[in-house]
Amino acid sequence: MRHASPLFAALSTLLLGACAGAPAPRAPQAVSVQVAPVAHPEGETPQWWYRNGAAQAAANGAMAGRAKNVILFLGDGMSLTTVAAARILEGQRRGHPGEENLLSWERFPATAFSKTYNTDSQTPDSAGTMTAITTGVKTHMGAIGVSAGSRNDCADSLDKHALTWLQLADSADMATGVVSTARLTHATPAATYAHSPDRNWENDTDLPQAARTEGCTDIAQQLLSTSRYGRGPLVALGGGRAQFTTIDERDPEYPDKVGLRLDGRNLVAEWRQAHPQGAYVWNTEQLKAAAGAPALLGLFEPDHMQYELDRPKDPAGEPSLADLTRTAIATLAGHPQGYVLMVEGARIDHANHSGNAARALGDTIALSDAVRAAVEATSAEDTLIIVTADHSHTLNFVGYPARGNPILGKVKDRGGEDGAGGLDLARDATGLPYTTLSYANGPGYTGASNRQPDGPKTYPHQPSSYEPSAGRPDLTHVDTEHPDYMQEALVPAKSESHGGEDVGIWAHGPGSAAVRGTLEQNTIYHLIVQATPRLRERLCQLDTCDAQGVPVELPQPAKFERKAP
């Protein structure tokens, strides 16, 4: 690259094959928005959060963006440690040492950090964090599309619904889509279209009678009813078939399973009635056959989709996240007013919760493949692509492993930090080897549980009780690179917890230069709406903008609904 022309150097920043050190684009002109100081946390109203996020985005120059399309990739639970370890694993799979590798989005020219806390918790959950990203307002743990309040109080939440950028785009006549490897009713995808104080109200059997009486509806229903803003998502691809069908209906892939709904409503049938030219699919071949359909609903599992590691074993054939991403873009790209799309690599989070790094890293690499597919299918001239995570995890990267040491393996070093010896297994203070990756807590704790004996744990492991460990196991002859090996956890827990530290934001395309610094997570919403003229103009049409054209007033969802003729 030393003798490359300036033009080539500039173009190379937009390509995934560019050198990692390509310069970031010049920061656009800042727009100043005044935000009144408040007491924390008492003064943090929804309006304050919205204006504060708008001010951060405008100060970074997001108003200069000219994006026609927006794709947000969300790696659920994708901590910076998860990114680093996945980067190395992908490189090692290719026969290289690994450390020099970069995942697809790590070549993007714009980067920032996201502060992920919820209004009521230092360490957040996926519902509150994704709601911050989709609505521009931070909220409580467990909240879906509503501002902060009581998690169990339906009545309290009814006047706290917050407009999401997917609903905003729908009302602006843009095409919209949601893709996830989780249930489509799970926290992250749900936060793009639903409003619920409790993320667990996924179908009618989960909805408490009191909430139903007070006027709340289950999340699966809301995937259909969000069409009141325009057309609803023209692409909805993920897992969760059982949330949409009744207890009287057998699953097409697993005859021993039935749906979960007790209200007698088959929401798949209702969707098909609403989209007579659309296609409903539940396996890979059907997805391929549906190419060209104007609307797509794909539900590929009764529950979450398979981990990437296990996906090839699916009897009916399950598409990869990259396949889903390509299909979604192809379906949405023909709309002249542009589109917004959210793609979630959901099961990174689930594998981390399970204390199984192999699956967490495998799904992170699958997300990287999906991002690469999106870059190849779009233009940096008109499509803003943002990659981020909702929260972190407790995955640790420790010791002094030698360059190229298998990231899932035991630490081999040359005498620790001094590096004075020959390459050999590193040992703890009791003389036992240990792995490069471990968890601060979770089901990988090595004491005996009610499910597995004392010693290393094997995935899947969902204990409800533990005995104290007598000490660390000897891993000398344990295959820690096996996909089912569970990394050791310091603190025993049925499920490993989230972490509270910042996560990354990476971006390229129009408006990406505003992605820099350390940002409150709800600012991501404002980066998107300010950098997309059609979204910004729609907000201004309904008097939410200041004299500079910056959307600063919290929008009222009802005003954006399609009016009946």
Side-chain angles (χ1 to χ4, degrees):
M1 298 295 289
R2 182 179 303 169
H3 302 294
S5 69
L7 175 61
F8 181 81
L11 290 174
S12 68
T13 65
L14 304 177
L15 301 175
L16 289 178
C19 69
R26 177 177 295 180
Q29 183 175 359
V31 176
S32 179
V33 173
Q34 297 301 311
V35 181
V38 297
H40 299 283
E42 295 83 2
E44 298 169 354
T45 65
Q47 172 57 43
W48 181 86
W49 276 117
Y50 194 86
R51 189 179 185 92
N52 186 64
Q56 288 192 11
N60 275 18
M63 291 289 289
R66 294 293 182 269
K68 178 183 179 181
N69 315 307
V70 180
I71 306 175
L72 176 76
F73 284 91
L74 196 291
D76 199 309
M78 191 173 70
S79 65
L80 292 175
T81 303
T82 303
V83 171
R87 170 204 306 153
I88 293 172
L89 180 61
E90 182 185 59
Q92 291 179 344
R93 285 178 174 178
R94 294 172 175 172
H96 304 296
E99 299 84 4
E100 74 296 329
N101 186 49
L102 291 172
L103 297 175
S104 59
W105 61 78
E106 293 185 283
R107 301 181 187 273
F108 286 2
T111 60
F113 291 115
S114 171
K115 296 165 65 178
T116 65
Y117 61 95
N118 294 143
T119 57
D120 58 349
S121 183
Q122 285 183 342
T123 298
D125 89 316
S126 297
T129 50
M130 191 59 181
T131 293
I133 292 171
T134 59
T135 70
V137 175
K138 285 211 177 195
T139 188
H140 65 262
M141 183 181 285
I144 297 288
V146 297
S147 57
S150 174
R151 181 166 180 164
N152 299 313
D153 192 340
C154 164
D156 173 70
S157 74
L158 294 178
D159 63 352
K160 294 181 175 179
H161 289 193
L163 186 75
T164 74
W165 48 254
L166 185 140
Q167 293 165 333
L168 171 64
D170 199 13
S171 78
D173 200 31
M174 297 175 74
T176 63
V178 181
V179 173
S180 177
T181 51
R183 299 187 298 267
L184 283 180
T185 51
H186 208 239
T188 299
T192 66
Y193 64 82
H195 307 279
S196 174
D198 191 330
R199 61 180 287 177
N200 295 320
W201 298 350
E202 293 188 49
N203 66 71
D204 68 302
T205 60
D206 297 327
L207 193 64
Q209 182 57 50
R212 190 179 294 111
T213 301
E214 290 169 352
C216 283
T217 56
D218 64 83
I219 291 169
Q221 258 191 79
Q222 294 186 57
L223 180 63
L224 276 65
S225 65
T226 196
S227 62
R228 66 189 181 276
Y229 293 97
R231 294 165 292 195
L234 296 182
V235 174
L237 303 172
R241 277 196 301 265
Q243 310 293 327
F244 294 85
T245 57
T246 74
I247 59 170
D248 298 319
E249 296 167 273
R250 294 204 172 275
D251 187 84
E253 187 174 5
Y254 307 100
D256 59 330
K257 298 181 183 296
V258 296
L260 295 173
R261 302 192 68 84
L262 288 170
D263 59 5
R265 294 180 62 182
N266 182 317
L267 300 183
V268 172
E270 292 183 24
W271 184 91
R272 296 176 85 163
Q273 185 175 11
H275 301 86
Q277 304 302 314
Y280 166 65
V281 300
W282 58 267
N283 61 46
T284 299
E285 290 306 313
Q286 291 176 351
L287 183 68
K288 291 177 181 177
L296 271 176
L297 173 63
L299 299 171
F300 299 96
E301 287 286 336
D303 195 17
H304 303 305
M305 291 180 67
Q306 303 282 345
Y307 288 112
E308 180 63 19
L309 188 68
D310 304 315
R311 185 176 61 84
K313 306 170 191 174
D314 185 271
E318 190 168 293
S320 69
L321 189 58
D323 293 334
L324 297 178
T325 300
R326 291 188 193 95
T327 299
I329 292 172
T331 303
L332 300 173
H335 291 266
Q337 308 300 346
Y339 62 87
V340 298
L341 171 64
M342 192 287 292
V343 179
E344 181 195 21
R347 308 223 63 196
I348 302 167
D349 174 72
H350 300 161
N352 275 324
H353 277 307
S354 295
N356 181 229
R359 285 174 172 80
L361 305 188
D363 273 48
T364 304
I365 294 170
L367 180 65
S368 177
D369 293 339
V371 172
R372 183 180 299 106
V375 171
E376 292 169 351
T378 60
S379 168
E381 295 299 313
D382 64 8
T383 302
L384 171 62
I385 298 180
I386 296 176
V387 180
T388 190
D390 47 357
H391 56 74
S392 182
H393 270 279
T394 73
L395 183 65
N396 299 307
F397 189 147
V398 302
Y400 297 97
R403 179 74 186 272
N405 197 64
I407 192 65
L408 293 172
K410 294 180 277 289
V411 173
K412 287 186 176 181
D413 66 17
R414 292 181 175 83
E417 191 174 8
D418 295 333
L423 184 64
D424 199 0
L425 284 175
R427 299 183 182 275
D428 67 14
T430 69
L432 297 174
Y434 55 93
T435 56
T436 302
L437 301 179
S438 62
Y439 288 94
N441 58 42
Y445 181 72
T446 57
S449 76
N450 64 320
R451 298 282 181 162
Q452 294 187 23
D454 183 76
K457 297 300 182 286
T458 301
Y459 174 87
H461 179 222
Q462 296 180 308
S464 57
S465 64
Y466 279 97
E467 296 294 329
S469 173
R472 292 192 57 245
D474 186 352
L475 300 179
T476 303
H477 302 295
V478 175
D479 182 6
T480 65
E481 296 178 58
H482 191 282
D484 293 339
Y485 173 77
M486 292 172 59
Q487 281 66 31
E488 289 180 73
L490 175 64
V491 177
K494 181 177 180 179
S495 176
E496 179 265 357
S497 76
H498 296 168
E501 71 269 25
D502 297 353
V503 297
I505 314 173
W506 299 263
H508 97 149
S512 62
V515 177
R516 65 183 193 278
T518 298
L519 305 173
E520 294 287 359
Q521 190 167 48
N522 62 302
T523 301
I524 296 172
Y525 161 97
H526 297 277
L527 292 170
I528 290 171
V529 300
Q530 290 183 24
T532 310
R534 194 166 185 86
L535 297 180
R536 191 169 70 234
E537 290 162 7
R538 179 62 175 145
L539 288 167
C540 290
Q541 286 172 3
L542 292 173
D543 302 321
T544 74
C545 298
D546 66 9
Q548 304 170 97
V550 181
V552 295
E553 299 295 331
L554 185 65
Q556 300 304 307
K559 294 183 178 181
F560 292 80
E561 292 181 11
R562 177 181 53 195
K563 303 302 180 184

